[in-house]
Amino acid sequence: MEELTLKSFEEAAEKVKEATLPTNLVYSEYFSSQTGNRVYLKPENMQYTGAYKVRGAYYKISTMSEEARQKGLITASAGNHAQGVAFAAKKYGVKATVVMPTTTPLIKVNRTKGYGAEVILYGNVYDEACEYAMKLAKEKGLTFVHPFDDLDVATGQGSIAMEIIKELPTVDYILVPIGGGFATGVSTLAKLLNPNIKVIGVEPAGANCLQESLKAGKVVTLPTVSTIADGTAVKTPGSKLFPYLQKNLDDIITVPDEDLIVAFLDMVENHKMIVENSGLLTVAALKQLDVKDKKIVSILSGGNMDVITMSSVVQQGLVQRSRIFTVSVLLPDKPGELVRVASIIAEANGNVIKLEHNQFVSINRKATVELRITIEAFGHEHKDEIVDKLEAAGLRPRIVKVNI
């Protein structure tokens, strides 16, 4: 196979400085205390385009001939590579067309257009968009920039490993999301510089195409993918990059969507950072890493999340942490009952944020009506305390689905 060399990585590390911001490591007191390790965050969500992808796109375009660039560029992306190509193309003064799945978050579509690219929405997942982009490239004579299955793109992404090791030479583990040539570049360069560094790839449990391919010993295609981590919702890993991943990744961790939700909450509350779901993979994976007293770098690959998704993730995170819950109680429809329930909750330091009163739960409403109360609490133990006090008062509390 064609070799990724230290020389090419060194060239890329210098070249990408023309299009990137410095993203120095951030030591995390919170995640360090949670895991018993020294955890550092590499905040690529703070890049110009909100993600690491500009590195690979810019380096790839720099290696092209002027003739190839002037034909016009085309790519397919779920969002972050799209912005990387659009931004890099603008710096080189060439036209870019981007095919994005119809499910791409609005913020990524608008920002890609904002960098001057033409955006075409096609297909429900990345793979369908990519197939269409390659078809257009052939029909119109455009130069296709693959978002991940390209050695130059992977080399550009690998510049992150150069920065991590320069800043933290004694790093023990690097956690990197799978996708975008990211894991290939980072793992290959890390092993070239220090074979003792463990590089762990992380992907969504609902889109674990690399994990399944490594098990099979060959590239396989998943029948479907389902994950809130839209940037890594890929059915098939890159065939050109697969041998590097086989050789240089030490392990794969998969993360369920519910873990990404609470990781988002952790990042907002403890680091005041917005990190998209794909970027949170390496944070959510920390609790699955069975090591202690190690220096670990979690790469936050991006922060491009639309406000609607953000609000939904925050709400679900609060529910999962029992910071918000809804309880149903049955009580007679007579004056003073609502005050009695509210007093019990208040005495337990719960905060009522919503009430729903249903008089039609029973034929005899004087005997029984339903009151659904959405309550803000401090966490699981506090929630249990409130429920126990309602039970002791004879209100027969029942936890129901939160509806805010």
Side-chain angles (χ1 to χ4, degrees):
M1 65 182 179
E2 189 180 341
E3 287 295 317
L4 290 174
T5 65
L6 182 57
K7 181 181 177 182
S8 64
F9 280 117
E10 289 173 335
E11 290 172 354
E14 289 302 311
K15 191 66 182 176
V16 300
K17 289 178 182 178
E18 299 172 4
T20 58
L21 291 169
T23 54
N24 295 333
L25 296 177
V26 176
Y27 177 69
S28 174
E29 290 278 1
Y30 176 76
F31 291 115
S32 295
S33 65
Q34 292 288 307
T35 63
N37 294 293
R38 293 185 61 80
V39 176
Y40 298 81
L41 308 174
K42 177 69 170 168
E44 286 295 293
N45 56 313
M46 305 304 291
Q47 284 297 349
Y48 286 119
T49 59
Y52 75 96
K53 292 283 190 99
V54 66
R55 295 171 180 269
Y58 191 79
Y59 182 64
K60 173 64 179 178
I61 294 170
S62 77
T63 64
M64 293 178 182
S65 67
E66 186 62 27
E67 180 185 0
R69 286 197 287 261
Q70 290 304 322
K71 286 180 180 178
L73 310 176
I74 187 168
T75 192
S77 169
N80 287 336
H81 177 70
Q83 292 174 75
V85 170
F87 180 79
K90 185 177 181 179
K91 287 187 76 73
Y92 273 97
V94 296
K95 182 181 177 183
T97 301
V98 181
V99 183
M100 308 177 85
T102 56
T103 54
T104 303
L106 182 62
I107 186 174
K108 295 183 179 182
V109 174
N110 287 343
R111 284 188 174 174
T112 303
K113 289 179 179 178
Y115 293 125
E118 177 189 354
V119 173
I120 299 170
L121 298 178
Y122 184 91
N124 292 318
V125 294
Y126 159 76
D127 301 78
E128 294 170 3
C130 185
E131 187 177 338
Y132 187 63
M134 288 191 286
K135 178 174 175 286
L136 290 178
K138 188 175 181 180
E139 290 175 355
K140 298 184 177 183
L142 303 172
T143 301
F144 184 71
V145 183
H146 202 289
F148 57 87
D149 200 20
D150 183 288
L151 294 180
D152 291 327
V153 169
T155 302
Q157 319 299 29
S159 59
I160 290 177
M162 185 78 77
E163 294 171 10
I164 290 171
I165 295 169
K166 280 185 177 179
E167 194 174 353
L168 188 67
T170 56
V171 60
D172 297 302
Y173 283 80
I174 298 175
L175 302 186
V176 56
I178 299 299
F182 204 8
T184 299
V186 169
S187 63
T188 302
L189 179 55
K191 294 298 184 180
L192 285 171
L193 294 174
N194 182 354
N196 294 320
I197 295 173
K198 302 291 185 185
V199 183
I200 311 297
V202 191
E203 59 185 348
N208 60 331
C209 63
L210 182 59
Q211 184 183 56
E212 292 302 314
S213 296
L214 291 173
K215 285 179 184 176
K218 62 180 181 180
V219 171
V220 300
T221 299
L222 298 177
T224 59
V225 293
S226 177
T227 176
I228 61 172
D230 58 279
T232 44
V234 177
K235 291 182 178 180
T236 312
S239 57
K240 292 180 184 176
L241 304 186
F242 185 66
Y244 292 97
L245 296 167
Q246 282 182 304
K247 179 181 177 182
N248 296 315
L249 279 183
D250 292 283
D251 199 3
I252 294 282
I253 292 175
T254 61
V255 173
D257 282 355
E258 53 266 29
D259 287 359
L260 296 176
I261 290 169
V262 293
F264 181 85
L265 209 59
D266 284 337
M267 287 301 303
V268 170
E269 292 191 324
N270 294 288
H271 286 283
K272 309 301 181 282
M273 277 199 277
I274 300 298
V275 182
E276 65 185 88
N277 291 318
S278 294
L280 291 166
L281 287 165
T282 58
V283 173
L286 285 168
K287 68 180 184 180
Q288 295 189 46
L289 202 58
D290 189 21
V291 296
K292 297 293 179 186
D293 300 317
K294 299 295 183 182
K295 296 185 183 74
I296 302 170
V297 174
S298 289
I299 305 175
L300 311 179
S301 59
N304 293 313
M305 179 182 280
D306 67 86
V307 176
I308 292 175
T309 301
M310 205 181 301
S311 63
S312 176
V313 170
V314 168
Q315 179 181 313
Q316 292 303 315
L318 292 171
V319 171
Q320 283 194 40
R321 289 277 170 89
S322 292
R323 302 264 293 280
I324 293 176
F325 69 99
T326 300
V327 64
S328 166
V329 298
L330 299 175
L331 62 165
D333 190 13
K334 64 181 184 181
E337 287 299 302
L338 181 56
V339 173
R340 181 166 73 98
V341 174
S343 297
I344 294 168
I345 295 169
E347 286 169 7
N349 291 316
N351 183 38
V352 175
I353 58 178
K354 185 178 180 181
L355 290 172
E356 292 179 86
H357 190 233
N358 181 7
Q359 294 181 323
F360 303 105
V361 72
S362 169
I363 295 173
N364 183 3
R365 77 179 195 186
K366 290 183 179 179
T368 305
V369 295
E370 181 190 31
L371 186 65
R372 290 194 173 198
I373 317 147
T374 300
I375 302 168
E376 183 181 10
F378 302 134
H380 300 301
E381 290 183 7
H382 189 210
K383 170 186 169 182
D384 292 341
E385 179 190 341
I386 294 169
V387 172
D388 287 346
K389 291 195 173 184
L390 291 170
E391 183 71 51
L395 292 166
R396 293 174 287 170
R398 180 171 58 93
I399 301 296
V400 296
K401 183 179 179 181
V402 174
N403 182 21
I404 297 177

